């Protein structure tokens, strides 16, 4: 899918392109390619003179492979964007190409973004840019606004995680944590721990991308201040995610503690039952001896007496344990 975005009266408008002829009719500031076909890549190359690298979606982590400037003036930024999907949380790699220097190419002043799937941050920016005239003025504003929206998206996700952790805390701190509840709580905590880690990694990646843009001196004074504000927002999120990890660890420890208590209760019951059966076993063992002279062997009530003695020797310890509260 190939979409171009143009500015009109300070608003960002989207057009879906289905042919090279349609592409030539627009003067966009942003060209978005989602899972581009070879034909769409060819249109971009023919009209803008821009060749999209085949390795644009590679998962390189070193900075030199993700943030660099070509000899022809093209600025390359490869950044990850968060997708808060309950079933499959993940990050999506997006490659940005921006030419702000080479006047010989039609790509000058146009931001190109390449990614394999739809990104929620992109949808949020499109909605905001249509409703807020003047938010976007050029291609650099688009890129900065994407990173700013990404930071807000991460903040909203952190708030959602915190709200869910509050519900989990209510369950855990109620003290009535059964094995079923503990299993549900641990599954929820594990999901939130994984998502918090993804948020922190995404924030680190966004911070690196914004810092790279600031180092290239491509930003105006106003845009430079916007970039600094994005970094401040990311710094403030760091403390929130750190607190989130502490809360997650606390709830994890508390839940595991309740699981251990439940297991100890079961073990305690088995231990008490074992101890209570020792006296009957002793009585049975005594009357199972093969001595010739045992007074009860020839007694008519010897068998009922032995059974009653075994029952009584089992009941007395159970009554004693119950009074001491060891069976609760």
């Amino acid at each position: 899918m190939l979409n171009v975005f143009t500015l009109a009266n300070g608003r960002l408008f989207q057009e879906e392109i289905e042919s090279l002829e349609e592409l030539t009719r627009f003067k966009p500031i942003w060209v978005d390619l989602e899972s581009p076909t070879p034909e769409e890549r060819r249109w971009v190359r023919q009209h803008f003179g821009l060749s999209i690298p085949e390795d644009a979606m590679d998962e390189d982590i070193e900075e030199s492979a993700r943030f660099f400037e070509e000899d022809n003036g093209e600025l390359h930024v490869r950044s990850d964007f968060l997708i808060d999907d309950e079933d499959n949380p993940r990050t999506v790699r997006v490659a940005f190409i921006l030419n702000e220097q080479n006047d010989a190419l039609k790509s000058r002043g146009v931001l190109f973004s390449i990614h394999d799937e739809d990104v929620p941050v992109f949808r949020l920016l499109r909605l905001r840019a249509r409703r807020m005239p003047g938010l976007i003025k050029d291609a650099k504003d688009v890129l900065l606004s994407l990173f700013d929206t990404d930071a807000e998206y991460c903040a909203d996700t952190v708030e959602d995680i915190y709200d869910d952790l509050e519900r989990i805390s209510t369950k855990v701190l109620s003290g009535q944590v059964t094995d079923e509840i503990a299993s549900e709580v641990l599954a929820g905590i594990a999901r939130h721990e994984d998502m918090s880690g993804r948020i922190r990694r995404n924030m680190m990646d966004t911070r690196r991308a914004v810092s790279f843009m600031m180092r290239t001196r491509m930003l105006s004074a106003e845009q430079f201040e916007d970039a600094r504000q994005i970094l401040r927002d990311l710094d403030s999120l760091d403390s929130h995610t750190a607190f989130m990890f502490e809360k997650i660890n606390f709830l994890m420890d508390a839940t595991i503690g309740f699981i251990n208590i439940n297991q100890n209760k079961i073990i305690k019951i088995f231990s008490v039952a074992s101890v209570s059966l020792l006296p009957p076993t002793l009585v049975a063992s005594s009357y199972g001896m093969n001595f010739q002279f045992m007074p009860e062997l020839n007694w008519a009530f010897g068998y009922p007496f032995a059974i009653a003695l075994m029952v009584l020797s089992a009941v007395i310890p159970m009554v004693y344990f119950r009074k001491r509260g060891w069976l609760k």
Side-chain angles (χ1 to χ4, degrees):
M1 183 182 298
L2 193 158
N3 293 297
V4 298
F5 297 86
T6 58
L7 276 179
N9 298 323
R11 299 178 186 271
L12 198 64
F13 290 92
Q14 176 181 348
E15 296 288 344
E16 185 173 344
I17 302 301
E18 297 183 355
S19 67
L20 178 61
E21 289 72 20
E22 288 186 8
L23 184 61
T24 58
R25 295 204 304 265
F26 298 98
K27 292 183 178 180
I29 64 167
W30 179 18
V31 176
D32 183 49
L33 297 100
E34 179 183 337
S35 298
T37 64
E39 188 177 25
E40 290 170 341
R41 289 172 178 260
R42 179 173 55 82
W43 296 344
V44 171
R45 183 172 62 253
Q46 289 181 359
H47 181 65
F48 294 103
L50 177 74
S51 296
I52 300 174
E54 294 296 331
D55 62 347
M57 296 294 104
D58 285 356
E59 296 294 329
D60 296 319
I61 61 174
E62 60 270 17
E63 187 166 352
S64 60
R66 301 185 64 177
F67 313 105
F68 59 92
E69 187 173 359
E70 295 281 11
D71 294 336
N72 61 359
E74 290 177 355
L75 195 70
H76 290 254
V77 176
R78 298 174 183 177
S79 187
D80 295 332
F81 286 81
L82 184 70
I83 296 182
D84 181 16
D85 188 336
E86 184 176 352
D87 297 326
N88 183 26
R90 61 197 181 277
T91 54
V92 175
R93 175 65 54 85
V94 180
F96 296 103
I97 304 175
L98 179 61
N99 170 27
E100 283 290 318
Q101 299 180 6
N102 195 338
D103 294 328
L105 298 176
K106 290 184 179 179
S107 61
R108 188 181 188 281
V110 180
L111 175 68
F112 296 86
S113 57
I114 307 97
H115 48 99
D116 291 332
E117 60 179 300
D118 189 27
V119 182
V121 169
F122 284 36
R123 296 198 303 268
L124 291 173
L125 177 62
R126 293 196 294 265
L127 290 173
R128 183 177 300 177
R130 282 200 295 266
R131 296 173 180 175
M132 300 174 60
L135 177 66
I136 303 295
K137 298 177 182 177
D138 57 25
K140 293 179 290 185
D141 277 341
V142 173
L143 188 53
L144 277 177
S145 296
L146 284 172
F147 289 134
D148 185 32
T149 307
D150 187 40
E152 293 183 11
Y153 184 79
C154 288
D156 292 339
T157 306
V158 167
E159 292 178 0
D160 293 339
I161 293 175
Y162 181 79
D163 291 340
D164 199 30
L165 287 177
E166 284 296 302
R167 290 191 290 270
I168 292 176
S169 297
T170 303
K171 291 182 179 180
V172 173
L173 300 180
S174 67
Q176 305 297 323
V177 182
T178 62
D179 290 344
E180 291 77 11
I181 293 178
S183 177
E184 179 185 347
V185 166
L186 288 176
I189 291 175
R191 287 196 304 270
H192 294 323
E193 195 279 337
D194 175 71
M195 196 61 186
S196 297
R198 293 179 184 276
I199 291 172
R200 176 163 285 191
R201 182 182 181 276
N202 188 76
M203 286 162 33
M204 179 182 67
D205 184 79
T206 303
R207 183 182 289 108
R208 293 169 64 191
V210 174
S211 298
F212 172 73
M213 293 179 63
M214 296 172 70
R215 290 197 304 271
T216 59
R217 299 181 180 179
M218 59 179 284
L219 304 176
S220 65
E222 182 179 356
Q223 291 170 337
F224 192 86
E225 183 58 34
D226 291 339
R228 291 181 61 184
Q229 182 59 48
I230 294 173
L231 293 181
R232 286 193 291 267
D233 293 340
L234 293 173
D235 289 338
S236 66
L237 278 177
D238 277 338
S239 60
H240 287 284
T241 54
F243 167 74
M244 205 73 66
F245 277 113
E246 292 178 359
K247 190 174 184 65
I248 288 172
N249 290 333
F250 164 74
L251 291 175
M252 181 78 73
D253 293 340
T255 305
I256 293 175
F258 280 114
I259 292 175
N260 292 334
I261 290 174
N262 292 339
Q263 291 177 343
N264 290 338
K265 288 179 179 178
I266 296 173
I267 294 173
K268 181 177 68 174
I269 291 174
F270 278 111
S271 300
V272 169
S274 300
V275 171
S276 65
L277 292 176
L278 286 178
T281 303
L282 178 61
V283 173
S285 300
S286 299
Y287 285 104
M289 296 178 183
N290 295 320
F291 292 114
Q292 182 178 1
F293 300 102
M294 295 184 69
E296 294 83 7
L297 288 179
N298 297 319
W299 185 27
F301 297 100
Y303 177 72
F305 172 76
I307 295 297
L309 187 60
M310 284 189 286
V311 172
L312 186 62
S313 64
V315 170
I316 291 176
M318 293 296 290
V319 172
Y320 174 76
F321 294 152
R322 187 177 183 82
K323 288 184 177 180
R324 295 296 301 268
W326 294 352
L327 297 179
K328 296 181 180 179

